[in-house]
C-alpha cells in the first residue's frame, strides 16, 4: 500500500477492468484519498506446524493474522485481537508497515494463544496436536471509538457470541462478512443462528455446509443457509474451488489455482476470506454480485500464494504485480469461449 495521509470525504472508484488500479494511480494524484477500511476480528496465535516433510515452530498464525495481511493488499485494515506479552514486537512493526491499524489489538500479561497441528501426506486433512488458549480464553473484543463506524467488517473464525459482540459495538456497517467452523456448528448453534441474521456474506467450507444443513448437495446446502439469514453464501471446496450464492438464482462457481508445490495449507481459508473482504472495502461503494465474483477470485489467488510457504511468509513478500499476473492467468484459465483469430 502507498503512503496515505490526511483525508478525503468519499471513496475512490477504479476502472471496472482494473480493480487494483488505485494501488498504482494514487501515487500520482495531487490530493490524498481515504480508501474505505475493513475491520477484522479473530484469533492471533503462535503456531507449530508439521507436514510429512517439514516442521516449523514459533510461526505467526491465527485467523485474524492471515485475514488482515490478505486484506491489506486492497484496503487499510483495522485489526482486533489479543496477544500476550510474549508476542514479538516485530510483528506489530510489520503490521503497521502494511497499513494494518493495531489499536484494537489488546496486549495483556500472559502467553499468546498457541496451536500445534500435523498434516497428513496429502495435506488435505490435519490433526490438532495441542491447543493452549492462554490469553485468548478471556478475550472479549473491545472496539476503539475510531473503529465503530468502519464500513466493512470481517468476523474471522471465533465464537459466534464474540462475533455478535463486535457487531453490537458497530454503527451500521455497510457490509458484514463472517467465517465459521464445525466447532461452532456443533457447540454454539443458537449463537450462530442469531449471528446469521446479521450477516451479508457467510463463508464456510463444504463439510461445514453439509453439517449445518444435513444436505449432501452443496447447491441445496448453500440455498438453505441463505434462508437462515445471510444474503450471500460462499462455500469453500479446498483444491476444488468455491461456490458463491446470491439473491434469487444468482450463482457462481470458480476453480482453484493449480499448484505443483504446497508447503503449508494453514490459514488458506482465512486468507481467502480476508482477500474477499479487503477487495470489497478497497474497490466498491455498494456491493453487487459481480463484485463478489471478482472478490472470490482475488481471495482464491491470495490463498494460492499463502500455501506456497509456511505461516504468512509468502504473503509477507508478495507483490501487487504477482497478484495481478496470477489473477489474469486465473481468468484465462477459466475462459471457455475463445475469440476467433
Amino acid at each position: 500500500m502507498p503512503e496515505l495521509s490526511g483525508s478525503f470525504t468519499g471513496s475512490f472508484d477504479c476502472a471496472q477492468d482494473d480493480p487494483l488500479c488505485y494501488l498504482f494511480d494514487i501515487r500520482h494524484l495531487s490530493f490524498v484519498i481515504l480508501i474505505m477500511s475493513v475491520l477484522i476480528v479473530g484469533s492471533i496465535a503462535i503456531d507449530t506446524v508439521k507436514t510429512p516433510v517439514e516442521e516449523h515452530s514459533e510461526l505467526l498464525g491465527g485467523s485474524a493474522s492471515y485475514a488482515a495481511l490478505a486484506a491489506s493488499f486492497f484496503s487499510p485494515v483495522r485489526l482486533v485481537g489479543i496477544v500476550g506479552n510474549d508476542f514479538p514486537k516485530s510483528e506489530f512493526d510489520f503490521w503497521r508497515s502494511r497499513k494494518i491499524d493495531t489499536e484494537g489489538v489488546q496486549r495483556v500479561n500472559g502467553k499468546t494463544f498457541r496451536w500445534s497441528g500435523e498434516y497428513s501426506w496429502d495435506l488435505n486433512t490435519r490433526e490438532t496436536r495441542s491447543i493452549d488458549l492462554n490469553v485468548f480464553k478471556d478475550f472479549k473484543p473491545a472496539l476503539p471509538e475510531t473503529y465503530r463506524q468502519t464500513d466493512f467488517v470481517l468476523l474471522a473464525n471465533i465464537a459466534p457470541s464474540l462475533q455478535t459482540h463486535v457487531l453490537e459495538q458497530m454503527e451500521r456497517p455497510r457490509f458484514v462478512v463472517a467465517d465459521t467452523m464445525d466447532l461452532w456448528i456443533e457447540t454454539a448453534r443458537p449463537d450462530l443462528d442469531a449471528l446469521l441474521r446479521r450477516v451479508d456474506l457467510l463463508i464456510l467450507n463444504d463439510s461445514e455446509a453439509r453439517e449445518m444443513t444435513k444436505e449432501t448437495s452443496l447447491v441445496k446446502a448453500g440455498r438453505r443457509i441463505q434462508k437462515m439469514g445471510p444474503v450471500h453464501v460462499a462455500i469453500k471446496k479446498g483444491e476444488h474451488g468455491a461456490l458463491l450464492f446470491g439473491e434469487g438464482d444468482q450463482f457462481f462457481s470458480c476453480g482453484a489455482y493449480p499448484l505443483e508445490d504446497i508447503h503449508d495449507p494453514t490459514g488458506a481459508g482465512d486468507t481467502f476470506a480476508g482477500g474477499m473482504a479487503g477487495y470489497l472495502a478497497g474497490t466498491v461503494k455498494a456491493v453487487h454480485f459481480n463484485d463478489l465474483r471478482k472478490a472470490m477470485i482475488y481471495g482464491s489467488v491470495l490463498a494460492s500464494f499463502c500455501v506456497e510457504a509456511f505461516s504468512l511468509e509468502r504473503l509477507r513478500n508478495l507483490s501487487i504485480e504477482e497478484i495481478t499476473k496470477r489473477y489474469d492467468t486465473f481468468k484465462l484459465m477459466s475462459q471457455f469461449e475463445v475469440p476467433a483469430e
Side-chain angles (χ1 to χ4, degrees):
M1 288 291 295
E3 290 291 333
L4 302 179
S5 60
S7 62
F8 172 77
T9 302
S11 59
F12 180 65
D13 284 327
C14 291
Q16 289 297 315
D17 59 348
D18 189 1
L20 292 182
C21 66
Y22 79 89
L23 288 168
F24 304 100
D25 293 348
I26 196 171
R27 297 170 184 163
H28 307 294
L29 299 176
S30 58
F31 56 93
V32 179
I33 291 173
L34 181 64
I35 305 297
M36 283 186 286
S37 299
V38 56
L39 184 149
I40 296 178
V41 57
S43 61
I44 301 171
I46 297 175
D47 291 347
T48 296
V49 178
K50 182 178 181 180
T51 70
V53 295
E54 294 181 83
E55 181 172 0
H56 295 269
S57 59
E58 300 298 310
L59 302 172
L60 177 60
S63 60
S65 302
Y66 283 96
L69 188 50
S72 72
F73 285 100
F74 307 102
S75 69
V77 174
R78 293 169 171 171
L79 180 60
V80 179
I82 189 169
V83 298
N85 50 19
D86 61 338
F87 192 78
K89 180 181 179 298
S90 59
E91 296 298 347
F92 281 90
D93 296 335
F94 174 73
W95 282 331
R96 294 186 186 106
S97 75
R98 294 298 301 268
K99 301 305 174 193
I100 298 174
D101 186 325
T102 60
E103 185 183 355
V105 179
Q106 304 170 30
R107 186 165 192 149
V108 300
N109 290 330
K111 292 185 177 181
T112 303
F113 172 35
R114 288 178 178 265
W115 173 84
S116 174
E118 181 174 356
Y119 287 90
S120 62
W121 67 271
D122 64 356
L123 298 178
N124 284 323
T125 57
R126 74 183 183 195
E127 177 185 352
T128 295
R129 299 195 296 184
S130 67
I131 294 180
D132 295 310
L133 293 177
N134 298 323
V135 299
F136 190 61
K137 182 179 181 181
D138 299 317
F139 179 46
K140 190 170 184 180
L143 302 189
E145 286 295 329
T146 53
Y147 283 26
R148 295 177 183 237
Q149 294 182 354
T150 310
D151 287 297
F152 288 80
V153 180
L154 170 56
L155 306 170
N157 186 16
I158 54 175
S161 59
L162 295 180
Q163 293 173 316
T164 298
H165 177 68
V166 170
L167 287 184
E168 288 173 348
Q169 299 174 68
M170 301 294 298
E171 298 180 13
R172 296 185 298 277
R174 184 174 304 197
F175 197 84
V176 177
V177 183
D179 199 352
T180 195
M181 65 181 297
D182 52 359
L183 175 64
W184 313 127
I185 297 170
E186 296 166 4
T187 65
R189 188 58 185 267
D191 290 338
L192 179 58
D193 288 341
L195 174 72
L196 294 181
R197 294 190 286 270
R198 306 178 66 172
V199 167
D200 296 292
L201 169 65
L202 178 70
I203 299 175
L204 70 174
N205 69 31
D206 48 2
S207 63
E208 293 158 353
R210 290 188 172 106
E211 182 175 0
M212 181 179 286
T213 62
K214 309 305 179 186
E215 296 281 2
T216 56
S217 163
L218 290 179
V219 175
K220 288 183 177 179
R223 293 303 185 195
R224 186 165 179 177
I225 293 171
Q226 283 182 292
K227 293 179 180 179
M228 300 175 186
V231 179
H232 308 94
V233 175
I235 299 179
K236 301 171 293 184
K237 301 191 295 174
E239 62 183 324
H240 302 295
L243 304 177
L244 177 65
F245 300 84
E247 296 180 272
D249 59 355
Q250 291 177 324
F251 176 79
F252 177 62
S253 174
C254 74
Y257 190 86
L259 295 169
E260 292 187 9
D261 295 310
I262 298 175
H263 290 270
D264 179 13
T266 309
D270 302 308
T271 301
F272 173 85
M276 286 194 72
Y279 170 85
L280 295 172
T283 58
V284 303
K285 288 182 180 178
V287 178
H288 301 291
F289 192 71
N290 283 342
D291 302 315
L292 288 167
R293 288 162 59 112
K294 288 185 178 179
M296 177 174 278
I297 299 300
Y298 276 111
S300 298
V301 166
L302 283 164
S304 73
F305 282 115
C306 175
V307 303
E308 290 181 345
F310 275 75
S311 183
L312 293 99
E313 292 310 305
R314 185 65 179 95
L315 297 181
R316 290 178 189 269
N317 302 308
L318 185 61
S319 69
I320 292 299
E321 290 78 11
E322 288 177 295
I323 295 173
T324 303
K325 181 178 179 181
R326 187 164 288 188
Y327 175 90
D328 291 339
T329 302
F330 207 123
K331 186 162 56 174
L332 288 173
M333 180 184 72
S334 305
Q335 185 176 354
F336 63 89
E337 290 185 358
V338 180
E341 296 183 359

